[in-house]
Amino acid sequence: MTPRPLAVVTGASTGIGYELAKYCADDGYDVIICANEPEIKDAAADLGRETVDAEILPIQADLGTKEGIETLWRALDARPIDALLANAGRGLGEAFLDQDFERAKDVLDVNVTGTISLIHKVGRQMRERGEGRILITGSVAGHMPGSFQAVYNGTKAFLDSFSYALRNELKDSGVTVTCLMPGPTDTEFFERAEMERTPVGQDDDKADPASVARKGYEAMKKGEAGVVTGFMNKVQTLFADLLPDTTVAQMHRRLAEPGRE
Ligand SMILES: NC(=O)c1ccc[n+]([C@@H]2O[C@H](COP(=O)([O-])OP(=O)(O)OC[C@H]3O[C@@H](n4cnc5c(N)ncnc54)[C@H](OP(=O)(O)O)[C@@H]3O)[C@@H](O)[C@H]2O)c1
């Protein structure tokens, strides 16, 4: 019997990552899911109940650390990886100078260093095999200087850019790289980033994580370059790319400043 292909999904305990893992499992992959907290095991149990046949293996590791990346890499045990969905990430609200610097650094460590460190290892393996799909969860935030979320938006600008660059480098290799760029999505993200008291945090009209994940998953399967999810987010990124950065930074203040009505 041919073994099932293997997908690795990071940040899969909740939100967009959980839904991405579900699409992978429903589509015939065995799935290794990873997150930092013990709840990743509950997520694996839930996914196991919701999907048929797929083997779901949870790995608890802090992907913002070198040790955490090594833990996940060792758990992969040199198995060929067919799809890597590098989705783990976190935000942090407040003005930069009012943030605890260690927490701001955590955002960089998880979103940027951890993400590209894992992609470096898995990408080399995929290139050697001449096949593989990589999905990177960037954000529309990467198109905007993010007043009151400055470090986070900077990390997403990095990932959006990195994703397109890596894709180009790998263009004749059989490995595709796709960037998923969601707008505000109804997950635990805003609570974890302590952004509940901001206009974007209080917005009741956020996107459904399952629908965001489906668009990203389908784009990855087709080997597309990138997808901005949702019509209004497409319009917003178009304007953000055209307007002066000073204007966009002021617009972002209206979304993310704590206590603003
Ligand atoms: N929600 C939005 O509006 C939005 C918009 C654009 C892009 N995104 C991006 O979408 C991705 C998923 O976020 P989400 O909205 O689904 O939020 P979420 O529900 O908070 O999920 C974040 C996931 O990342 C994991 N994670 C965070 N730090 C980690 C670490 N150090 N090591 C390993 N795993 C870690 C979390 O696991 P633990 O709980 O175990 O830490 C969780 O599984 C993120 O990259 C985020 O930046 C979100």
Side-chain angles (χ1 to χ4, degrees), residues 11-16 35-37 61-64 87-90 110 137-139 152 156 182-185 187-190 192:
S13 56
T14 54
I16 298 168
N36 189 26
E37 304 292 338
D62 181 352
L63 297 178
N87 165 81
R90 60 172 61 154
V110 180
T137 306
S139 174
Y152 174 77
K156 290 295 166 173
T185 305
T187 68
E188 295 175 19
F189 175 88
F190 294 95
R192 290 182 199 203

XYZ file of all heavy atoms in Angstrom, residues 11-16 35-37 61-64 87-90 110 137-139 152 156 182-185 187-190 192, ligand 1:
276
model
N 1.503 25.822 14.582
C 0.449 26.695 15.111
C -0.923 26.109 14.856
O -1.869 26.828 14.528
N -1.028 24.783 15.041
C -2.258 24.086 14.654
C -3.163 23.766 15.841
O -4.117 23.018 15.693
C -1.904 22.807 13.902
N -2.875 24.345 17.020
C -3.732 24.015 18.163
C -5.072 24.728 18.073
O -6.078 24.243 18.596
C -3.034 24.375 19.477
O -2.660 25.736 19.482
N -5.104 25.881 17.426
C -6.335 26.680 17.340
C -6.359 27.435 16.005
O -5.397 27.377 15.233
C -6.368 27.768 18.463
O -5.163 28.537 18.380
C -6.490 27.171 19.845
N -7.446 28.145 15.776
C -7.523 29.136 14.714
C -7.259 28.625 13.307
O -7.693 27.531 12.922
N -6.545 29.422 12.550
C -6.310 29.128 11.127
C -5.518 27.829 10.972
O -5.803 27.000 10.100
C -5.559 30.311 10.459
C -6.410 31.593 10.523
C -5.197 29.993 9.014
C -5.659 32.880 10.157
N 2.540 23.003 18.283
C 2.292 24.287 18.954
C 3.048 24.270 20.270
O 3.634 23.243 20.654
C 0.799 24.523 19.165
N 2.999 25.373 20.962
C 3.840 25.556 22.150
C 3.225 24.988 23.427
O 3.929 24.549 24.332
C 4.087 27.067 22.326
C 5.116 27.370 23.378
O 5.982 26.545 23.647
N 5.034 28.530 23.965
N 1.910 25.004 23.516
C 1.228 24.631 24.764
C 0.738 23.185 24.694
O 0.541 22.643 23.599
C 0.043 25.575 25.005
C 0.392 27.050 25.041
C 1.246 27.444 26.251
O 1.222 26.711 27.262
O 1.951 28.472 26.156
N 6.260 22.088 21.081
C 7.594 22.697 20.994
C 7.447 24.203 20.825
O 6.550 24.669 20.112
C 8.357 22.123 19.791
N 8.339 24.924 21.479
C 8.351 26.381 21.330
C 9.143 26.731 20.074
O 10.381 26.689 20.066
C 8.985 27.027 22.572
C 9.007 28.543 22.475
O 8.669 29.085 21.402
O 9.376 29.186 23.476
N 8.445 27.087 19.021
C 9.096 27.314 17.728
C 9.794 28.667 17.656
O 10.356 29.016 16.614
C 8.075 27.156 16.595
C 7.482 25.739 16.490
C 6.439 25.674 15.386
C 8.563 24.680 16.255
N 9.772 29.379 18.769
C 10.557 30.614 18.840
C 11.951 30.356 19.380
O 12.730 31.299 19.565
N 2.684 28.209 9.872
C 1.580 29.117 10.237
C 1.705 29.686 11.643
O 1.080 30.708 11.953
C 0.273 28.305 10.090
C -0.906 28.951 10.762
O -1.525 29.854 10.206
N -1.219 28.528 11.984
N 2.531 29.086 12.501
C 2.606 29.552 13.900
C 2.993 31.020 13.943
O 3.892 31.459 13.224
C 3.626 28.724 14.677
N 2.319 31.757 14.781
C 2.644 33.173 14.888
C 1.857 33.808 16.006
O 0.862 33.268 16.467
N 2.348 34.944 16.444
C 1.626 35.674 17.478
C 1.778 37.173 17.258
O 2.714 37.612 16.593
C 2.128 35.274 18.865
C 3.594 35.555 19.095
C 3.964 35.311 20.533
N 3.724 33.917 20.907
C 4.376 33.284 21.876
N 5.284 33.921 22.570
N 4.116 32.026 22.143
N 9.346 33.891 17.031
C 8.395 32.887 16.514
C 8.068 33.168 15.052
O 8.188 32.287 14.196
C 7.060 32.910 17.309
C 6.098 31.862 16.756
C 7.301 32.689 18.770
N 2.049 31.492 6.350
C 0.999 32.440 6.735
C 1.637 33.802 7.004
O 2.270 34.013 8.041
C 0.215 31.967 7.971
O -0.275 30.635 7.725
C -0.977 32.881 8.237
N 1.504 34.669 6.023
C 1.905 36.066 6.188
C 0.685 36.834 6.658
O -0.072 36.346 7.501
N 0.440 37.996 6.096
C -0.742 38.769 6.491
C -0.874 39.996 5.612
O 0.134 40.508 5.094
C -0.608 39.217 7.948
O -1.679 40.081 8.305
N 4.855 43.334 15.098
C 4.100 42.278 14.405
C 4.012 42.561 12.907
O 4.312 41.698 12.080
C 2.697 42.143 15.009
C 1.832 41.182 14.238
C 2.014 39.795 14.381
C 0.861 41.623 13.333
C 1.238 38.901 13.648
C 0.087 40.739 12.608
C 0.277 39.376 12.767
O -0.475 38.487 12.047
N 5.395 40.428 9.576
C 4.565 39.925 8.468
C 5.031 40.518 7.133
O 4.930 39.875 6.095
C 3.089 40.220 8.753
C 2.544 39.379 9.900
C 2.541 37.885 9.568
C 2.323 37.011 10.768
N 2.162 35.573 10.461
N -4.083 36.627 5.266
C -5.436 36.921 5.769
C -5.514 38.353 6.274
O -4.498 38.974 6.612
C -5.594 35.959 6.952
C -4.391 35.069 6.949
C -3.320 35.793 6.182
N -6.746 38.849 6.353
C -7.041 40.061 7.110
C -7.554 39.618 8.480
O -7.406 38.440 8.846
N -8.165 40.548 9.244
C -8.642 40.187 10.579
C -9.541 38.943 10.561
O -10.506 38.877 9.808
C -9.436 41.437 11.004
C -8.802 42.548 10.233
C -8.403 41.957 8.916
N -9.171 37.970 11.369
C -9.841 36.670 11.357
C -10.235 36.327 12.790
O -9.505 36.644 13.741
C -8.875 35.606 10.780
O -8.420 36.054 9.492
C -9.542 34.251 10.618
N -10.151 34.508 15.546
C -9.397 33.483 16.278
C -9.000 34.058 17.642
O -9.400 35.167 17.985
C -8.110 33.094 15.522
O -7.219 34.220 15.561
C -8.384 32.716 14.074
N -8.158 33.321 18.352
C -7.698 33.808 19.666
C -6.579 34.847 19.544
O -6.043 35.323 20.540
C -7.222 32.618 20.505
C -8.360 31.661 20.823
C -7.893 30.406 21.542
O -6.781 30.419 22.115
O -8.645 29.420 21.522
N -6.214 35.140 18.298
C -5.077 36.014 18.034
C -5.145 37.343 18.799
O -4.180 37.756 19.446
C -5.005 36.278 16.521
C -3.948 37.251 16.108
C -2.659 36.827 15.840
C -4.233 38.605 15.988
C -1.674 37.729 15.463
C -3.259 39.515 15.611
C -1.972 39.067 15.349
N -6.296 38.032 18.747
C -6.390 39.395 19.316
C -6.341 39.361 20.838
O -5.752 40.238 21.456
C -7.649 40.095 18.778
C -7.547 40.347 17.306
C -8.082 39.452 16.392
C -6.853 41.447 16.832
C -7.947 39.651 15.031
C -6.713 41.661 15.461
C -7.262 40.758 14.558
N -4.765 37.007 22.598
C -3.373 36.686 22.958
C -2.452 37.890 22.775
O -1.461 38.031 23.481
C -2.862 35.539 22.087
C -3.525 34.236 22.421
C -2.947 33.132 21.575
N -3.856 32.006 21.553
C -3.492 30.768 21.300
N -2.252 30.483 21.027
N -4.376 29.803 21.302
N -6.280 36.228 13.283
C -5.925 37.177 12.423
O -6.588 38.227 12.300
C -4.732 36.959 11.527
C -4.617 37.770 10.373
C -3.508 37.590 9.543
C -2.564 36.620 9.829
N -2.715 35.850 10.945
C -1.677 34.856 11.214
O -2.266 33.568 11.231
C -1.446 32.676 11.989
C -2.333 31.888 12.919
O -2.933 32.776 13.841
P -4.449 32.625 14.348
O -5.170 33.833 13.939
O -4.988 31.300 13.962
O -4.229 32.771 15.927
P -4.232 31.718 17.126
O -5.550 31.041 17.213
O -3.734 32.501 18.284
O -3.155 30.613 16.685
C -1.777 30.806 16.804
C -1.100 29.450 16.789
O 0.333 29.653 16.813
C 0.872 28.887 17.875
N 2.078 29.486 18.457
C 2.245 30.736 18.947
N 3.466 30.874 19.466
C 4.093 29.677 19.287
C 5.391 29.182 19.617
N 6.274 29.935 20.264
N 5.695 27.917 19.275
C 4.789 27.129 18.660
N 3.548 27.527 18.335
C 3.207 28.799 18.640
C -0.254 28.829 18.918
O -0.026 27.740 19.795
P 0.154 27.905 21.408
O -1.178 28.343 21.945
O 0.557 26.549 21.834
O 1.202 28.964 21.612
C -1.455 28.615 18.011
O -1.551 27.261 17.652
C -0.419 33.550 12.689
O 0.805 33.469 11.986
C -1.007 34.952 12.563
O -0.006 35.933 12.572
C -3.779 35.994 11.789
